[in-house]
Amino acid sequence: MFADNPLRRKLDSGEFLHMVELVASARTTEEKLLEICSSLAGVDAVTAAGITSYAGGASGHDPVRTAVGAKERGLTPNIHLTCVYQDRRGIRETLEELDRLGIHNVFAITGDYPKDDTDAAVFDLDSVALVSMIDEMRAAGAPFSISVAVSPFKYTEPDCMYQYIKLEKKFAAGADFAITQLGYDARKFGELKRYLDERGIAKPVIGNVYVLSRRAAEIMSEGRPPGCWVSPELLERVTEEAGAEDRGRAARLERAARTVAVLRGLGYAGAYIGGTHNADQIRWIIQRGEELAPQWEACAEELVWSPQAAFYIHDSPKQPPKPLGLLHNVLTTAGKMFPVRTETVWRKLLRSASRWVHRRPRVEQVLEKVETAVKVPLFGCQACGNCVLGDMEFVCPQTCPKQIRNGPCGGTDNGRCEVIPEQACIWVGVYERAKAADELDDLKVFIPPPVRSLKGTVSWVNYFLDLDARPGHPKPGP
Ligand code: SF4
């Protein structure tokens, strides 16, 4: 199936590979971008290029056009496909176009919230739903290879654990391999690998190696773009290095090469090199990374730029769960006393009642008002009509600015939301309640995207009449 796909071939061979990130930003002209593609295609050890799609929520070149240009110049594209600006229909059309163009490596991500044109944000799907859609198209014959993102560089328990839980969901949905967010902490690279090994998950993971300039370090030290972070100590070191005659060039390339060596030693499938488009620099990093591979443990000891109070799964003391609130306990008890998830007498009764209501629009309108009167103040409900509160520890996914239903995006910042930093990421609450209820494994269940046409209707009726989308009951329609 993947015979003509160099990236798949290399992954299947088990040989360490190198991918380069091509940032298709508006600051670079299209002509220049294509020139870069030609020069990168000339680096034998580069297997593919990640073509970004409006990275950091900023404007940029059309990634499909850039990917076509890269392919024509002999550089295999791994195109970033986000859920930011298109609904599921638009995304499917883009995938069909990619299939026609013979571009089959897709990096499926939710995407950064747009910085300027916030009205254009769509977020109809999340990354797990996107993987599931691509997997369906693959089953129908389009030979897509699906990569996904994961960030081990999360230093609080909920942020970190949920990244890994979500990665498991992505793999279960059909992802073939993962690429990490950037970070400068060998223990975290090792933690991710160990997490997967301990669970027998043998999917390849490629580690991010970002060539860190002083300017980039300054920006990332403020947590920008979302999910990227550089510690004050590393910023200080990079600033010092930038005082050298070469403005820190040799030091940053050496740091990148050492990170490549660490990834090799830890058993990663490859390195995803970003922060430079310069073919000579990339060639040097790759070669030096290979030379340093036998000393990878010494290199790992230097790659330790973490915050002071950092969570590591295997080393941090176990924190007791926080107590569950009264509301959670009441709702859970009610769910046990009146079970409706299976074909019980309660379900049959409520189905009949829902049918009766559904045939009477006025009654249904009144019920809709009752539902919102209860659920808006309690859960921040936005009447999406596809209620999954019971699958999300009674946290409403519509309160996430990206409407994600399957776990946090990569932009969480120590439990704070990427889009609205004044508020906690909603998934912190989901994780903490699931931990307290001993239901962490339940978080691995895929929650399909909602049927958007049900917005403003009674979710209770939709549930009992099977009109909605929920775990185990996906619906194709928008
Ligand atoms: S609530 Fe969490 S998942 Fe949603 S946008 Fe904010 S950080 Fe991302």
Coordinates of all heavy atoms in Angstrom, one line a residue, residues 271-360:
A271 N 14.2 12.2 13.7 CA 14.3 13.6 14.3 C 13.5 14.5 13.3 O 13.7 14.4 12.1 CB 15.7 14.0 14.4
Y272 N 12.8 15.4 13.9 CA 12.0 16.4 13.1 C 12.7 17.8 13.3 O 12.6 18.3 14.4 CB 10.6 16.4 13.6 CG 9.6 17.4 12.8 CD1 9.0 16.9 11.7 CD2 9.4 18.6 13.3 CE1 8.1 17.8 11.0 CE2 8.5 19.5 12.7 CZ 7.8 19.0 11.5 OH 6.9 19.8 10.9
I273 N 13.5 18.2 12.3 CA 14.4 19.3 12.6 C 13.7 20.6 12.1 O 13.3 20.8 10.9 CB 15.7 19.1 11.8 CG1 16.4 17.8 12.2 CG2 16.6 20.3 12.0 CD1 17.6 17.4 11.4
G274 N 13.6 21.6 13.0 CA 13.0 22.9 12.7 C 13.9 24.0 13.1 O 14.9 23.8 13.7
G275 N 13.5 25.2 12.8 CA 14.3 26.4 13.2 C 15.3 26.8 12.2 O 16.0 27.8 12.4
T276 N 15.5 26.0 11.2 CA 16.4 26.4 10.1 C 16.0 25.7 8.8 O 15.5 24.6 8.8 CB 17.9 26.0 10.3 OG1 18.7 26.4 9.2 CG2 18.1 24.5 10.6
H277 N 16.1 26.5 7.7 CA 15.8 25.9 6.4 C 17.1 25.7 5.6 O 17.1 25.4 4.4 CB 14.9 26.9 5.6 CG 13.5 26.9 6.1 ND1 12.6 28.0 5.8 CD2 12.8 26.1 6.8 CE1 11.5 27.8 6.3 NE2 11.5 26.6 7.0
N278 N 18.2 26.0 6.2 CA 19.5 26.0 5.6 C 20.0 24.6 5.4 O 20.3 23.9 6.3 CB 20.5 26.8 6.4 CG 21.8 26.9 5.8 OD1 22.4 26.0 5.4 ND2 22.3 28.2 5.7
A279 N 20.1 24.2 4.1 CA 20.5 22.8 3.8 C 21.8 22.4 4.4 O 22.0 21.3 4.8 CB 20.4 22.6 2.3
D280 N 22.8 23.3 4.3 CA 24.1 23.0 4.9 C 24.0 22.7 6.4 O 24.7 21.8 6.9 CB 25.1 24.1 4.6 CG 25.5 24.1 3.1 OD1 25.3 23.1 2.4 OD2 25.8 25.2 2.6
Q281 N 23.3 23.6 7.1 CA 23.2 23.4 8.5 C 22.5 22.1 8.8 O 22.9 21.4 9.8 CB 22.4 24.6 9.1 CG 23.1 25.9 9.0 CD 22.4 27.0 9.8 OE1 21.3 26.8 10.3 NE2 23.0 28.2 9.7
I282 N 21.5 21.8 8.1 CA 20.7 20.5 8.3 C 21.7 19.3 8.1 O 21.7 18.4 8.8 CB 19.5 20.5 7.5 CG1 18.5 21.5 8.1 CG2 18.9 19.1 7.4 CD1 17.3 21.9 7.2
R283 N 22.4 19.4 7.0 CA 23.4 18.3 6.7 C 24.3 18.1 7.8 O 24.6 17.0 8.3 CB 24.1 18.7 5.4 CG 24.5 17.6 4.5 CD 25.1 18.0 3.2 NE 24.3 18.1 2.1 CZ 24.0 19.3 1.5 NH1 24.5 20.4 1.8 NH2 23.2 19.3 0.4
W284 N 24.8 19.3 8.4 CA 25.8 19.2 9.5 C 25.2 18.6 10.7 O 25.8 17.7 11.4 CB 26.3 20.6 9.8 CG 27.4 20.6 10.7 CD1 28.8 20.5 10.4 CD2 27.3 20.7 12.2 NE1 29.5 20.5 11.6 CE2 28.7 20.6 12.7 CE3 26.3 20.8 13.1 CZ2 29.0 20.6 14.0 CZ3 26.6 20.8 14.4 CH2 27.9 20.7 14.9
I285 N 24.0 19.0 11.0 CA 23.3 18.5 12.3 C 23.1 17.0 12.2 O 23.4 16.2 13.1 CB 21.9 19.2 12.4 CG1 22.1 20.7 12.8 CG2 21.1 18.5 13.5 CD1 20.8 21.5 12.7
I286 N 22.7 16.6 11.0 CA 22.4 15.1 10.8 C 23.7 14.3 11.0 O 23.8 13.3 11.7 CB 21.8 14.9 9.4 CG1 20.4 15.5 9.3 CG2 21.8 13.4 9.1 CD1 19.8 15.5 8.0
Q287 N 24.8 14.8 10.3 CA 26.1 14.1 10.4 C 26.6 14.1 11.8 O 27.1 13.1 12.3 CB 27.0 14.8 9.4 CG 28.2 13.9 9.0 CD 29.2 14.7 8.2 OE1 28.9 15.7 7.6 NE2 30.4 14.2 8.1
R288 N 26.6 15.2 12.4 CA 27.1 15.4 13.8 C 26.2 14.5 14.8 O 26.8 13.9 15.7 CB 27.1 16.8 14.2 CG 27.6 17.1 15.6 CD 29.1 17.3 15.7 NE 29.5 17.6 17.0 CZ 30.4 16.9 17.7 NH1 31.1 15.9 17.2 NH2 30.7 17.3 18.9
G289 N 25.0 14.5 14.5 CA 24.1 13.7 15.4 C 24.4 12.2 15.3 O 24.4 11.5 16.3
E290 N 24.8 11.8 14.1 CA 25.2 10.4 13.9 C 26.6 10.1 14.7 O 26.7 9.1 15.4 CB 25.4 10.2 12.4 CG 24.9 8.9 11.9 CD 24.9 8.9 10.4 OE1 24.3 9.7 9.8 OE2 25.7 8.0 9.9
E291 N 27.5 11.1 14.5 CA 28.8 10.9 15.2 C 28.6 10.8 16.7 O 29.3 10.1 17.4 CB 29.7 12.2 14.9 CG 30.4 12.2 13.6 CD 30.9 13.6 13.3 OE1 31.1 14.4 14.2 OE2 31.0 13.9 12.1
L292 N 27.7 11.7 17.3 CA 27.5 11.7 18.7 C 26.7 10.6 19.3 O 26.6 10.4 20.5 CB 26.9 13.1 19.1 CG 27.7 14.3 19.0 CD1 26.9 15.6 19.0 CD2 28.8 14.3 20.1
A293 N 26.1 9.8 18.4 CA 25.1 8.8 18.9 C 25.7 7.9 20.0 O 25.0 7.6 20.9 CB 24.6 8.0 17.7
P294 N 27.0 7.4 19.9 CA 27.5 6.5 20.9 C 27.6 7.2 22.3 O 27.6 6.6 23.3 CB 28.9 6.2 20.4 CG 28.9 6.5 19.0 CD 28.0 7.6 18.8
Q295 N 27.6 8.6 22.3 CA 27.7 9.3 23.6 C 26.4 9.9 23.9 O 26.3 11.0 24.6 CB 28.7 10.5 23.4 CG 30.1 10.0 23.1 CD 30.8 11.1 22.2 OE1 30.7 12.2 22.4 NE2 31.4 10.6 21.1
W296 N 25.3 9.3 23.5 CA 24.0 9.9 23.7 C 23.6 10.1 25.1 O 23.0 11.1 25.5 CB 22.9 9.1 22.9 CG 22.5 7.8 23.6 CD1 23.0 6.6 23.4 CD2 21.5 7.7 24.6 NE1 22.4 5.7 24.2 CE2 21.4 6.3 24.9 CE3 20.5 8.5 25.2 CZ2 20.5 5.8 25.9 CZ3 19.6 8.0 26.1 CH2 19.7 6.6 26.4
E297 N 24.1 9.2 26.0 CA 23.7 9.4 27.4 C 24.3 10.7 28.0 O 23.7 11.4 28.8 CB 24.1 8.1 28.2 CG 23.1 7.1 28.0 CD 23.6 5.7 28.3 OE1 24.7 5.3 27.8 OE2 22.9 5.0 29.0
A298 N 25.6 10.9 27.6 CA 26.2 12.2 28.1 C 25.5 13.4 27.6 O 25.3 14.4 28.3 CB 27.7 12.2 27.7
C299 N 25.1 13.3 26.3 CA 24.3 14.4 25.7 C 23.0 14.6 26.5 O 22.6 15.7 26.7 CB 24.0 14.1 24.2 SG 25.5 14.0 23.2
A300 N 22.4 13.5 26.9 CA 21.1 13.6 27.6 C 21.2 14.3 28.9 O 20.4 15.0 29.4 CB 20.5 12.2 27.8
E301 N 22.4 14.0 29.5 CA 22.6 14.7 30.9 C 22.7 16.2 30.8 O 22.4 16.9 31.7 CB 23.9 14.2 31.5 CG 23.7 12.8 32.2 CD 24.9 12.2 32.6 OE1 25.9 12.9 32.9 OE2 24.9 10.9 32.7
E302 N 23.0 16.7 29.6 CA 23.0 18.2 29.4 C 21.7 18.8 29.0 O 21.5 20.0 29.0 CB 24.1 18.5 28.3 CG 25.5 18.2 28.7 CD 26.4 18.2 27.4 OE1 25.9 18.6 26.3 OE2 27.5 17.8 27.5
L303 N 20.8 17.9 28.5 CA 19.6 18.4 27.9 C 18.5 18.3 29.1 O 17.7 17.4 29.1 CB 19.2 17.5 26.7 CG 18.1 18.0 25.8 CD1 18.5 19.3 25.1 CD2 17.6 16.9 24.8
V304 N 18.6 19.3 30.0 CA 17.8 19.2 31.2 C 17.2 20.5 31.5 O 17.2 21.0 32.7 CB 18.7 18.7 32.4 CG1 19.0 17.2 32.3 CG2 19.9 19.5 32.5
W305 N 16.5 21.1 30.6 CA 16.0 22.5 30.8 C 14.5 22.4 31.1 O 13.6 22.6 30.3 CB 16.2 23.3 29.5 CG 17.6 23.3 29.1 CD1 18.2 22.6 28.1 CD2 18.7 24.1 29.6 NE1 19.5 22.9 28.0 CE2 19.9 23.8 28.9 CE3 18.8 25.0 30.7 CZ2 21.1 24.4 29.2 CZ3 20.0 25.6 30.9 CH2 21.1 25.3 30.2
S306 N 14.2 22.0 32.4 CA 12.9 21.9 32.8 C 12.5 22.9 33.9 O 13.5 23.5 34.5 CB 12.7 20.5 33.4 OG 13.6 20.3 34.5
P307 N 11.3 23.1 34.2 CA 11.0 24.0 35.4 C 11.3 23.3 36.7 O 11.6 22.1 36.7 CB 9.4 24.2 35.3 CG 8.9 23.2 34.3 CD 10.1 22.6 33.6
Q308 N 11.4 24.1 37.8 CA 11.8 23.6 39.0 C 10.9 22.5 39.6 O 11.3 21.5 40.0 CB 12.0 24.7 40.0 CG 13.1 25.7 39.4 CD 13.9 26.4 40.5 OE1 13.4 26.8 41.5 NE2 15.2 26.5 40.2
A309 N 9.6 22.9 39.6 CA 8.6 21.9 40.1 C 8.0 21.2 38.9 O 7.0 21.8 38.4 CB 7.6 22.6 41.0
A310 N 8.6 20.2 38.5 CA 8.1 19.5 37.3 C 7.6 18.1 37.5 O 8.1 17.4 38.4 CB 9.3 19.4 36.3
F311 N 6.5 17.8 36.9 CA 5.9 16.5 37.0 C 6.5 15.5 36.0 O 6.6 15.8 34.8 CB 4.4 16.5 36.8 CG 3.7 15.2 36.7 CD1 3.4 14.5 37.9 CD2 3.4 14.6 35.5 CE1 2.8 13.2 37.8 CE2 2.9 13.3 35.4 CZ 2.6 12.6 36.6
Y312 N 7.0 14.4 36.5 CA 7.5 13.3 35.7 C 6.7 12.0 36.1 O 6.8 11.7 37.3 CB 9.0 13.1 35.9 CG 9.8 14.2 35.3 CD1 10.2 15.3 36.1 CD2 10.2 14.2 33.9 CE1 10.9 16.3 35.6 CE2 11.0 15.2 33.4 CZ 11.3 16.3 34.2 OH 12.0 17.4 33.7
I313 N 6.1 11.3 35.2 CA 5.3 10.2 35.5 C 6.0 9.2 36.4 O 5.4 8.7 37.4 CB 4.8 9.4 34.3 CG1 3.9 10.3 33.4 CG2 4.1 8.2 34.7 CD1 3.4 9.6 32.2
H314 N 7.2 8.8 36.1 CA 7.9 7.7 36.8 C 8.6 8.2 38.0 O 9.0 7.3 38.8 CB 8.8 7.0 35.8 CG 8.1 6.5 34.6 ND1 8.2 7.2 33.4 CD2 7.3 5.5 34.4 CE1 7.4 6.6 32.5 NE2 6.9 5.5 33.0
D315 N 8.8 9.5 38.2 CA 9.6 9.9 39.4 C 8.8 10.8 40.4 O 9.2 10.8 41.5 CB 10.8 10.7 38.9 CG 11.6 10.0 37.8 OD1 11.7 8.7 38.0 OD2 12.0 10.6 36.8
S316 N 7.8 11.4 39.9 CA 7.1 12.4 40.9 C 6.3 11.6 41.9 O 5.7 10.6 41.5 CB 6.2 13.3 40.1 OG 7.0 14.1 39.3
P317 N 6.2 12.1 43.1 CA 5.4 11.3 44.1 C 3.9 11.4 43.7 O 3.5 12.4 43.1 CB 5.6 12.1 45.4 CG 6.4 13.4 45.0 CD 6.9 13.2 43.7
K318 N 3.3 10.3 44.0 CA 1.8 10.2 43.6 C 1.0 11.2 44.4 O 1.1 11.2 45.6 CB 1.3 8.8 43.8 CG 2.0 7.7 43.1 CD 1.3 7.4 41.8 CE 2.0 6.4 40.9 NZ 3.2 6.9 40.2
Q319 N 0.2 12.0 43.7 CA -0.6 13.0 44.4 C -2.0 12.3 44.6 O -2.6 11.7 43.7 CB -0.8 14.2 43.5 CG 0.4 15.0 43.3 CD 1.0 15.6 44.6 OE1 0.2 16.0 45.5 NE2 2.3 15.6 44.7
P320 N -2.6 12.5 45.8 CA -3.9 11.9 46.0 C -4.9 12.6 45.2 O -4.8 13.8 44.9 CB -4.1 12.1 47.5 CG -3.2 13.3 47.9 CD -2.0 13.2 47.0
P321 N -6.0 11.9 44.8 CA -7.0 12.6 44.0 C -7.8 13.7 44.8 O -7.9 13.6 46.0 CB -8.0 11.5 43.6 CG -7.7 10.4 44.5 CD -6.3 10.5 45.0
K322 N -8.3 14.7 44.1 CA -9.1 15.7 44.8 C -10.5 15.2 45.0 O -10.9 14.4 44.2 CB -9.1 17.0 44.0 CG -7.8 17.6 43.8 CD -7.8 19.0 43.1 CE -6.5 19.6 43.0 NZ -6.4 20.6 42.0
P323 N -11.1 15.6 46.1 CA -12.5 15.0 46.3 C -13.4 15.4 45.2 O -13.3 16.5 44.7 CB -12.9 15.6 47.7 CG -11.9 16.6 48.0 CD -10.7 16.5 47.2
L324 N -14.4 14.5 44.9 CA -15.4 14.8 43.9 C -16.4 15.8 44.5 O -16.8 15.6 45.7 CB -16.0 13.6 43.4 CG -15.2 12.7 42.5 CD1 -15.8 11.3 42.4 CD2 -15.1 13.3 41.2
G325 N -17.0 16.7 43.8 CA -18.0 17.6 44.3 C -19.3 16.9 44.5 O -19.6 15.8 44.0
L326 N -20.2 17.6 45.1 CA -21.6 17.1 45.4 C -22.3 16.8 44.1 O -22.9 15.7 44.0 CB -22.3 18.1 46.3 CG -23.8 17.7 46.6 CD1 -23.8 16.5 47.6 CD2 -24.5 18.9 47.3
L327 N -22.3 17.7 43.2 CA -23.0 17.5 41.9 C -22.6 16.3 41.2 O -23.4 15.5 40.7 CB -22.8 18.8 41.0 CG -23.5 18.7 39.7 CD1 -25.0 18.7 39.9 CD2 -23.1 19.9 38.8
H328 N -21.2 16.1 41.2 CA -20.7 14.9 40.5 C -21.3 13.6 41.1 O -21.7 12.7 40.5 CB -19.2 14.9 40.5 CG -18.6 13.9 39.6 ND1 -18.5 12.5 39.9 CD2 -17.9 14.0 38.4 CE1 -17.9 11.9 39.0 NE2 -17.5 12.7 38.0
N329 N -21.2 13.6 42.5 CA -21.7 12.4 43.2 C -23.2 12.2 43.0 O -23.6 11.0 42.8 CB -21.4 12.6 44.7 CG -19.9 12.4 45.0 OD1 -19.3 11.6 44.3 ND2 -19.4 13.1 46.0
V330 N -24.0 13.3 43.0 CA -25.4 13.1 42.8 C -25.7 12.5 41.5 O -26.5 11.6 41.3 CB -26.1 14.5 43.0 CG1 -27.6 14.4 42.6 CG2 -26.0 14.9 44.5
L331 N -25.1 13.1 40.4 CA -25.3 12.7 39.1 C -24.8 11.2 38.8 O -25.5 10.5 38.1 CB -24.6 13.6 38.1 CG -25.2 15.0 38.0 CD1 -24.4 16.0 37.2 CD2 -26.7 15.0 37.5
T332 N -23.7 10.9 39.4 CA -23.2 9.5 39.3 C -24.2 8.5 39.9 O -24.5 7.5 39.4 CB -21.8 9.4 39.9 OG1 -21.0 10.5 39.4 CG2 -21.1 8.1 39.5
T333 N -24.6 8.9 41.1 CA -25.6 8.0 41.8 C -26.9 7.8 41.0 O -27.4 6.7 40.9 CB -25.9 8.6 43.2 OG1 -24.6 8.8 43.9 CG2 -26.6 7.6 44.1
A334 N -27.3 9.0 40.5 CA -28.6 8.9 39.7 C -28.4 8.0 38.5 O -29.3 7.2 38.1 CB -29.0 10.3 39.3
G335 N -27.2 8.1 37.9 CA -26.9 7.3 36.7 C -26.9 5.8 37.0 O -27.3 5.0 36.2
K336 N -26.5 5.5 38.3 CA -26.5 4.1 38.7 C -27.9 3.6 39.0 O -28.2 2.4 38.8 CB -25.5 3.9 39.9 CG -24.1 3.9 39.4 CD -23.1 3.8 40.6 CE -21.7 4.0 40.2 NZ -20.8 4.5 41.2
M337 N -28.7 4.5 39.6 CA -30.0 4.1 40.0 C -31.0 3.9 38.8 O -31.8 3.1 38.9 CB -30.6 5.1 41.0 CG -29.9 5.0 42.4 SD -30.5 6.3 43.5 CE -32.2 5.9 43.7
F338 N -30.7 4.8 37.8 CA -31.6 4.8 36.7 C -30.8 4.6 35.4 O -30.7 5.5 34.6 CB -32.5 6.1 36.6 CG -33.2 6.4 37.9 CD1 -32.7 7.4 38.7 CD2 -34.3 5.7 38.2 CE1 -33.4 7.7 39.9 CE2 -35.0 6.0 39.4 CZ -34.5 7.0 40.3
P339 N -30.2 3.4 35.2 CA -29.3 3.3 34.1 C -30.1 3.3 32.7 O -31.1 2.7 32.6 CB -28.7 1.9 34.3 CG -29.7 1.2 35.2 CD -30.4 2.2 36.0
V340 N -29.5 4.1 31.8 CA -30.1 4.2 30.5 C -29.2 3.9 29.3 O -29.5 4.0 28.2 CB -30.7 5.6 30.3 CG1 -31.9 5.9 31.2 CG2 -29.7 6.7 30.5
R341 N -27.9 3.6 29.7 CA -26.9 3.4 28.6 C -27.2 2.1 27.9 O -26.8 1.9 26.7 CB -25.5 3.4 29.1 CG -25.2 4.9 29.5 CD -23.7 5.0 29.7 NE -23.4 6.4 30.1 CZ -22.4 7.1 29.5 NH1 -21.6 6.5 28.6 NH2 -22.2 8.3 29.9
T342 N -27.7 1.1 28.6 CA -28.1 -0.2 27.9 C -29.6 -0.2 27.8 O -30.3 0.7 28.3 CB -27.6 -1.4 28.7 OG1 -28.0 -1.2 30.1 CG2 -26.1 -1.5 28.7
E343 N -30.1 -1.3 27.2 CA -31.6 -1.4 27.0 C -32.4 -1.7 28.2 O -32.9 -2.8 28.3 CB -31.8 -2.4 25.8 CG -33.1 -2.3 25.1 CD -33.4 -1.0 24.4 OE1 -32.5 -0.1 24.3 OE2 -34.6 -0.8 24.1
T344 N -32.4 -0.8 29.2 CA -33.1 -1.1 30.4 C -34.6 -0.6 30.3 O -35.0 0.1 29.3 CB -32.5 -0.3 31.6 OG1 -32.5 1.1 31.2 CG2 -31.0 -0.7 31.8
V345 N -35.3 -0.9 31.4 CA -36.7 -0.4 31.4 C -36.8 1.1 31.4 O -37.7 1.7 30.7 CB -37.5 -1.1 32.6 CG1 -36.9 -0.6 33.9 CG2 -39.0 -0.8 32.5
W346 N -35.8 1.7 32.0 CA -35.8 3.2 32.0 C -35.5 3.8 30.7 O -36.2 4.7 30.3 CB -34.6 3.7 33.0 CG -34.9 3.3 34.4 CD1 -34.2 2.3 35.1 CD2 -35.9 3.8 35.3 NE1 -34.7 2.2 36.4 CE2 -35.8 3.1 36.5 CE3 -36.9 4.7 35.2 CZ2 -36.6 3.3 37.6 CZ3 -37.7 5.0 36.2 CH2 -37.5 4.3 37.5
R347 N -34.7 3.1 29.9 CA -34.4 3.6 28.6 C -35.6 3.5 27.7 O -36.0 4.4 26.9 CB -33.2 2.8 28.0 CG -32.7 3.4 26.7 CD -31.5 2.7 26.1 NE -31.2 3.3 24.8 CZ -30.1 4.0 24.6 NH1 -29.3 4.3 25.5 NH2 -29.9 4.5 23.4
K348 N -36.3 2.3 27.8 CA -37.5 2.1 27.0 C -38.6 3.2 27.3 O -39.2 3.7 26.4 CB -38.0 0.7 27.2 CG -37.2 -0.4 26.6 CD -37.8 -1.7 26.9 CE -36.8 -2.8 26.4 NZ -37.0 -4.1 27.1
L349 N -38.7 3.4 28.6 CA -39.7 4.4 29.1 C -39.4 5.8 28.5 O -40.2 6.5 28.0 CB -39.6 4.4 30.6 CG -40.9 4.7 31.3 CD1 -41.9 3.6 31.2 CD2 -40.6 5.0 32.8
L350 N -38.1 6.2 28.6 CA -37.7 7.5 28.2 C -37.7 7.6 26.7 O -38.0 8.7 26.1 CB -36.3 7.9 28.8 CG -36.4 8.1 30.3 CD1 -35.0 8.1 31.0 CD2 -37.1 9.5 30.6
R351 N -37.5 6.5 26.0 CA -37.6 6.6 24.5 C -39.0 6.8 24.1 O -39.3 7.7 23.2 CB -37.1 5.2 23.9 CG -37.0 5.3 22.4 CD -36.7 4.0 21.8 NE -35.4 3.5 22.1 CZ -35.2 2.3 22.7 NH1 -36.2 1.5 22.9 NH2 -34.0 1.9 23.0
S352 N -40.0 6.2 24.8 CA -41.4 6.4 24.4 C -41.8 7.8 24.7 O -42.4 8.5 23.9 CB -42.3 5.5 25.3 OG -42.0 4.1 25.0
A353 N -41.3 8.3 25.9 CA -41.6 9.7 26.3 C -41.0 10.7 25.2 O -41.6 11.7 24.8 CB -41.1 10.0 27.7
S354 N -39.8 10.4 24.8 CA -39.1 11.3 23.8 C -39.8 11.3 22.5 O -40.0 12.3 21.8 CB -37.7 10.8 23.6 OG -36.9 10.9 24.8
R355 N -40.3 10.1 22.1 CA -41.1 10.0 20.8 C -42.4 10.9 20.9 O -42.7 11.7 20.0 CB -41.6 8.6 20.6 CG -40.7 7.9 19.6 CD -41.3 6.6 19.1 NE -40.2 5.6 19.0 CZ -40.0 4.5 19.7 NH1 -41.0 4.2 20.5 NH2 -39.0 3.8 19.5
W356 N -43.0 10.8 22.1 CA -44.2 11.6 22.3 C -43.9 13.1 22.2 O -44.5 13.9 21.6 CB -44.8 11.2 23.7 CG -46.1 11.9 24.0 CD1 -47.3 11.4 23.7 CD2 -46.3 13.1 24.7 NE1 -48.3 12.2 24.1 CE2 -47.7 13.3 24.7 CE3 -45.5 14.1 25.2 CZ2 -48.3 14.4 25.3 CZ3 -46.1 15.2 25.8 CH2 -47.4 15.4 25.8
V357 N -42.8 13.5 22.9 CA -42.4 14.9 22.9 C -42.0 15.4 21.4 O -42.4 16.4 21.0 CB -41.2 15.1 23.8 CG1 -40.6 16.5 23.6 CG2 -41.6 14.9 25.3
H358 N -41.3 14.5 20.8 CA -40.7 14.9 19.4 C -41.9 15.1 18.4 O -41.7 15.9 17.5 CB -39.8 13.7 18.9 CG -38.9 14.2 17.8 ND1 -38.1 15.3 17.9 CD2 -38.6 13.6 16.6 CE1 -37.4 15.4 16.8 NE2 -37.7 14.4 16.0
R359 N -43.0 14.5 18.7 CA -44.1 14.7 17.7 C -44.9 16.0 18.1 O -45.8 16.4 17.3 CB -45.1 13.5 17.8 CG -44.6 12.3 17.1 CD -45.7 11.3 16.8 NE -46.2 10.7 18.1 CZ -45.8 9.6 18.6 NH1 -44.9 8.9 18.0 NH2 -46.4 9.2 19.7
R360 N -44.5 16.7 19.2 CA -45.2 17.9 19.6 C -44.2 19.1 19.7 O -43.6 19.3 20.8 CB -45.9 17.6 20.9 CG -47.1 16.7 20.8 CD -47.5 16.1 22.1 NE -48.6 15.2 21.8 CZ -48.5 13.9 21.4 NH1 -47.3 13.4 21.2 NH2 -49.5 13.2 21.2

